[in-house]
Amino acid sequence: MHIKQSHDELIRRISNLEKQLAEHKQVVEELNKYKFIVDAADEFMTLIDRNYVYEAANKAYFDAGGKKRSEIIGRTVEEVWGRKKLDNVINDFLGDCFTGKESYSEDWFKFNERILKCYAINYYPYRNKTNDVTHAVVISHDITEHKLAEKKLRESESLLRKTFEAVPDVMTVHDKDFHIILSNWKKRESIYEKEGENRPHCYEVYMNRGKPCESCPASKVFDTGKPGRFEHTDKKNGKSYEINIYPVFDESENVTMILEHINDITERKKTEKEKRKLEARLQQAQKIESIGTLAGGIAHDFNNILTSIIGYTEIVMDDLDEGSLTKRNLTEILTASNRAKDLVKQILTFSCQTEQNLKPVQIGQVVVEVLRLLRASIPTTIKINQKIDDKPMTVLADSTMIHQVLMNLCTNSLHAMDDDGGTLDISLDPVFLDTDYTSKFHNLNPGNYLRLTVEDTGHGMTAEIKERIFEPYFTTKEHDKGTGLGLSVVHGIIKNHDGHITVDSEAGRGSKFQIYLPLLKTAVIKKVKEDSEPVTGGNENILCVDDEEQIIRMQHQMLERLGYSVTSRISSYEALEAFKADPNKFDLVITDMTMPNITGDKLAIEIKKTRPDIPIILCTGFSESISEERASEIGINHLLMKPVGKDDFVKIIRRELTKSGNSTR
């Protein structure tokens, strides 16, 4: 009985041992699995006791340092990493862990003198069955690439920020609710003090509004995804801004933000305005030049007509008795023709195509003479003030034309003050015009100028009228008070003197004209002797050439009556053939300039090739292609402007015959 019980107890114990062995084996297998998992992990895993001694570590930890188990397990943290690393990095986190707190740190470590790497370290407290913290479980994973990526991102953001802030113009980034989320504006600090929904809106910062602007261009960019542009003028400071808006897309091609580029265009606007003014002045100058060209062409034809009228009138008058009614009537025709001649001269003056007798002139003397004439005729309701600088002021000018300019300007001023009277101020002073001033005007050079100012207190003029006052035949006067040629002639004369004229006027505030003429440094003014040359004829042989039959018949008749032998041709080609047939027959050649086939200057050249000593008089009603200088270069002895009176015509013929030695008298 006793043996059986002992046997049964033995069997039971063996069974319990087998069971325990099986359970132990299962636990070992489970532990091996966990060990495999831990050793297979890339993260570093260590177990440290309260004495900071390593009790366990996974394979990754050993491999990273290239150390054996015996070099880690059983050693303290200080022995493995050194006192400095322990105090500066590890100690505080382990201390917290042993108080029962989980903790986290990031730091750079160098295993076995290899590449420095950054690790994220988690510290977990390990508790026993009595809930006491006996160990610290430390798990670390490599975040080097993440840290390097963060560093690159920070550098990229810094570069973007520096680039953004380097742009001199204002640039801002807005979200769909118009919050300013990025800006290089000088007041951006006040923007970045707030976050998210608390950040200010663009309409609050820039427009001082409490709600979005009506028809906001930014809204359209959000809706269409297309860039926008608009201009805005700040009423407070008067500055103008150009705002360009660009959409910013996300990965789904949705507009999530907009970039606004705000450019101060105040100076550009001023420059554009000044450019438009200069263009307007240039267009006006070109317009006047075009009208002048047309006027020159009309003047040519009109001068030919006047030449015939004046010539035939003087021929008929020579055959009439003094005091006869017919001669008196013809005298009126001649007077009217001479008035028409002066009118054509004004047209040519406007177009800058008339001859000028330029010589050194003291303009102050001209002003005094004009004022003397004016004072005798103006009403007592108009006061004239004059202010002429005492310094000698000499310009190269035609005194008659300057007289005409001043008379025209003063007459206009007097007409402007007819109704209510007023004051006419005339001043003369030297000024220096610098490049800043002259660059605003065409063909005006820097230097010393004489400034002639004519200012009145009359009714003035509107901007529209001021733009047109130098156009020929433009006038605001009544039909019987002006032709509209006055100021256009003034403009032409001043331009022909290398000068400049400006006008400043507003309706109801009077007008001020200022004329600038280049000053001469030194000048010698000579008196001109009056012409006392007698009017006489002769018996020489003259070749006359003109394609106008009326003119050629008039010249033929006039010269024959004075005793000359005249050969006339209406074809320049036939005239050249006649001259070449017998060159020594002729003592003088008179030719028109503008003719078909061969013009007068070319005819003169061909004639001079055959006989260089023959005197030639070239007549022209108007021509841009001939001048005194050009005529002299090709051997022409006298350039004569049509129309010309009989006495002057005959004197010139006699003078050239005498000078050439071809005179038979």
Side-chain angles (χ1 to χ4, degrees):
M1 183 78 178
H2 179 72
I3 295 173
K4 185 178 181 181
Q5 288 179 346
S6 297
H7 179 269
D8 291 340
E9 179 66 21
L10 181 59
I11 295 298
R12 185 180 62 78
R13 288 183 179 182
I14 292 173
S15 176
N16 287 337
L17 286 173
E18 289 177 347
K19 185 178 180 181
Q20 289 177 2
L21 286 171
E23 290 176 354
H24 179 73
K25 184 178 180 181
Q26 185 178 357
V27 170
V28 171
E29 288 179 354
E30 290 294 326
L31 287 174
N32 286 333
K33 290 179 182 178
Y34 286 121
K35 184 177 184 302
F36 178 80
I37 293 172
V38 170
D39 284 339
D42 292 330
E43 289 82 0
F44 303 160
M45 299 181 185
T46 59
L47 184 68
I48 302 172
D49 67 15
R50 296 185 72 89
N51 295 318
Y52 289 11
V53 175
Y54 284 99
E55 287 193 3
N58 69 342
K59 184 176 182 296
Y61 192 76
F62 296 131
D63 292 345
K67 295 185 178 182
K68 298 177 182 180
R69 179 181 178 84
S70 60
E71 294 178 286
I72 300 294
I73 304 303
R75 293 182 178 273
T76 64
V77 174
E78 182 180 351
E79 290 174 333
V80 175
W81 292 107
R83 187 70 192 180
K84 185 177 180 180
K85 200 73 168 178
L86 175 64
D87 290 340
N88 295 340
V89 179
I90 303 173
N91 197 32
D92 290 341
F93 298 103
L94 278 176
D96 287 342
C97 186
F98 283 119
T99 64
K101 297 178 183 177
E102 293 184 5
S103 58
Y104 174 84
S105 72
E106 293 179 2
D107 204 358
W108 293 84
F109 292 86
K110 185 181 289 185
F111 286 89
N112 199 26
E113 301 301 324
R114 295 183 182 179
I115 298 173
L116 190 65
K117 290 189 176 183
C118 186
Y119 292 89
I121 308 169
N122 289 279
Y123 296 85
Y124 301 100
Y126 177 80
R127 298 178 184 273
N128 61 13
K129 292 182 179 180
T130 60
N131 204 35
D132 296 324
V133 178
T134 60
H135 294 80
V137 178
V138 183
I139 301 176
S140 308
H141 63 277
D142 188 349
I143 59 170
T144 306
E145 290 187 3
H146 176 71
K147 282 295 179 180
L148 292 176
E150 283 185 346
K151 183 182 179 183
K152 288 183 179 179
L153 180 60
R154 286 194 300 272
E155 291 174 349
S156 178
E157 289 176 346
S158 176
L159 178 61
L160 176 62
R161 166 65 62 187
K162 290 177 180 177
T163 303
F164 198 62
E165 293 181 356
V167 178
D169 302 329
V170 176
M171 297 181 71
T172 57
V173 178
H174 306 173
D175 63 16
K176 299 195 76 168
D177 294 322
F178 304 111
H179 292 111
I180 301 176
I181 60 176
L182 187 63
S183 175
N184 69 343
W185 190 35
K186 62 182 180 179
K187 295 183 179 179
R188 62 183 178 274
E189 289 80 6
S190 61
I191 296 173
Y192 293 138
E193 287 173 358
K194 301 177 181 180
E195 295 292 337
E197 293 296 323
N198 293 323
R199 280 188 172 170
H201 299 89
C202 59
Y203 50 81
E204 295 172 331
V205 175
Y206 301 130
M207 302 298 182
N208 197 26
R209 293 171 57 94
K211 59 181 181 179
C213 307
E214 293 81 4
S215 304
C216 176
S219 297
K220 188 175 181 180
V221 175
F222 274 117
D223 293 338
T224 64
K226 296 180 180 179
R229 177 192 174 279
F230 71 101
E231 292 183 6
H232 170 69
T233 300
D234 192 322
K235 295 181 180 179
K236 292 183 179 179
N237 58 25
K239 289 190 173 184
S240 298
Y241 300 94
E242 177 188 65
I243 297 96
N244 288 282
I245 309 173
Y246 306 97
V248 179
F249 300 92
D250 61 12
E251 294 178 353
S252 301
E253 295 298 318
N254 296 317
V255 181
T256 57
M257 294 181 291
I258 58 168
L259 170 65
E260 284 194 358
H261 176 202
I262 304 169
N263 181 24
D264 187 342
I265 58 172
T266 307
E267 290 303 318
R268 191 178 83 189
K269 283 288 186 182
K270 289 180 181 178
T271 303
E272 289 176 352
K273 185 177 180 180
E274 188 64 29
K275 181 182 176 183
R276 287 194 294 271
K277 287 182 180 179
L278 291 174
E279 288 174 345
R281 290 193 187 108
L282 179 59
Q283 289 173 356
Q284 182 72 0
Q286 291 172 338
K287 184 177 180 181
I288 291 176
E289 185 177 353
S290 298
I291 296 174
T293 301
L294 176 63
I298 295 172
H300 171 265
D301 293 339
F302 198 41
N303 275 335
N304 280 336
I305 295 170
L306 286 176
T307 297
S308 297
I309 294 173
I310 292 172
Y312 282 114
T313 300
E314 289 181 323
I315 289 173
V316 174
M317 289 177 67
D318 286 343
D319 294 336
L320 298 175
D321 295 331
E322 290 293 332
S324 68
L325 179 61
T326 302
K327 189 164 186 174
R328 289 201 304 270
N329 290 338
L330 288 173
T331 300
E332 292 299 324
I333 293 175
L334 190 61
T335 300
S337 298
N338 284 321
R339 286 178 61 191
K341 173 184 173 182
D342 291 337
L343 180 61
V344 173
K345 187 177 180 181
Q346 283 191 334
I347 294 174
L348 290 175
T349 299
F350 158 73
S351 61
C352 304
Q353 292 156 355
T354 186
E355 285 190 49
Q356 297 178 105
N357 182 21
L358 299 179
K359 59 185 179 180
V361 175
Q362 293 282 356
I363 300 299
Q365 298 174 3
V366 179
V367 173
V368 170
E369 181 183 348
V370 170
L371 292 181
R372 180 175 54 80
L373 293 172
L374 288 174
R375 283 194 171 96
S377 58
I378 64 170
T380 57
T381 56
I382 297 176
K383 180 183 178 182
I384 297 180
N385 297 322
Q386 72 177 58
K387 184 180 179 182
I388 301 176
D389 197 290
D390 294 334
K391 298 176 182 177
M393 292 172 286
T394 306
V395 298
L396 191 64
D398 185 321
S399 59
T400 302
M401 290 187 173
I402 299 301
H403 187 284
Q404 182 182 2
V405 165
L406 192 53
M407 283 295 292
N408 270 326
L409 292 179
C410 291
T411 301
N412 282 343
S413 292
L414 295 176
H415 285 166
M417 297 184 289
D418 267 350
D419 297 334
D420 303 318
T423 302
L424 175 63
D425 292 314
I426 301 174
S427 63
L428 202 63
D429 61 323
V431 295
F432 178 78
L433 301 183
D434 58 20
T435 305
D436 289 342
Y437 183 85
T438 57
S439 62
K440 299 176 183 177
F441 304 99
H442 185 57
N443 291 337
L444 191 64
N445 298 317
N448 294 306
Y449 284 78
L450 177 146
R451 178 172 60 190
L452 172 62
T453 303
V454 178
E455 185 173 6
D456 64 65
T457 58
H459 51 65
M461 65 188 85
T462 64
E464 292 76 17
I465 292 175
K466 188 168 69 172
E467 288 181 0
R468 300 189 61 194
I469 56 172
F470 294 121
E471 295 180 13
Y473 301 109
F474 174 77
T475 181
T476 58
K477 300 175 184 177
E478 296 177 11
H479 181 69
D480 59 344
K481 288 190 176 182
T483 63
L485 272 177
L487 287 177
S488 64
V489 170
V490 167
H491 183 276
I493 290 173
I494 298 305
K495 183 180 177 182
N496 232 17
H497 281 71
D498 296 326
H500 180 65
I501 182 170
T502 65
V503 57
D504 182 19
S505 180
E506 292 182 21
R509 299 185 62 179
S511 301
K512 179 166 73 173
F513 288 85
Q514 289 189 309
I515 292 171
Y516 298 89
L517 296 172
L519 277 172
L520 288 179
K521 293 182 179 179
T522 57
V524 179
I525 302 176
K526 298 180 180 179
K527 291 185 178 180
V528 180
K529 296 181 180 179
E530 292 187 7
D531 183 13
S532 58
E533 185 179 351
V535 179
T536 58
N539 56 8
E540 291 86 356
N541 202 322
I542 300 174
L543 172 63
C544 291
V545 191
D546 199 304
D547 62 325
E548 295 281 344
E549 291 189 28
Q550 284 185 327
I551 293 176
I552 202 68
R553 287 197 298 266
M554 180 270 296
Q555 288 180 345
H556 192 110
Q557 186 181 162
M558 180 185 291
L559 294 176
E560 277 193 340
R561 290 165 68 96
L562 290 168
Y564 293 108
S565 297
V566 184
T567 302
S568 300
R569 293 289 186 272
I570 60 173
S571 166
S572 54
Y573 179 79
E574 292 178 2
L576 181 59
E577 291 297 314
F579 183 84
K580 286 183 176 181
D582 190 0
N584 294 319
K585 173 183 176 181
F586 302 103
D587 300 302
L588 177 74
V589 176
I590 302 172
T591 177
D592 186 31
M593 173 62 192
T594 305
M595 297 182 294
N597 298 322
I598 306 175
T599 57
D601 56 340
K602 292 179 180 179
L603 176 63
I605 292 171
E606 293 300 319
I607 288 175
K608 287 282 186 177
K609 287 179 181 178
T610 303
R611 188 177 157 195
D613 66 322
I614 186 79
I616 299 176
I617 297 174
L618 180 65
C619 303
T620 179
F622 158 75
S623 178
E624 288 184 331
S625 58
I626 195 68
S627 63
E628 290 279 4
E629 293 77 8
R630 171 62 180 162
S632 178
E633 286 175 2
I634 61 178
I636 291 172
N637 299 77
H638 194 95
L639 180 63
L640 185 63
M641 290 297 296
K642 297 178 184 178
V644 61
K646 183 191 71 173
D647 289 353
D648 290 335
F649 189 45
V650 172
K651 286 179 182 180
I652 291 168
I653 292 172
R654 187 74 262 154
R655 189 184 309 140
E656 294 303 328
L657 284 169
T658 302
K659 283 165 57 179
S660 67
N662 293 338
S663 174
T664 58
R665 296 178 55 190

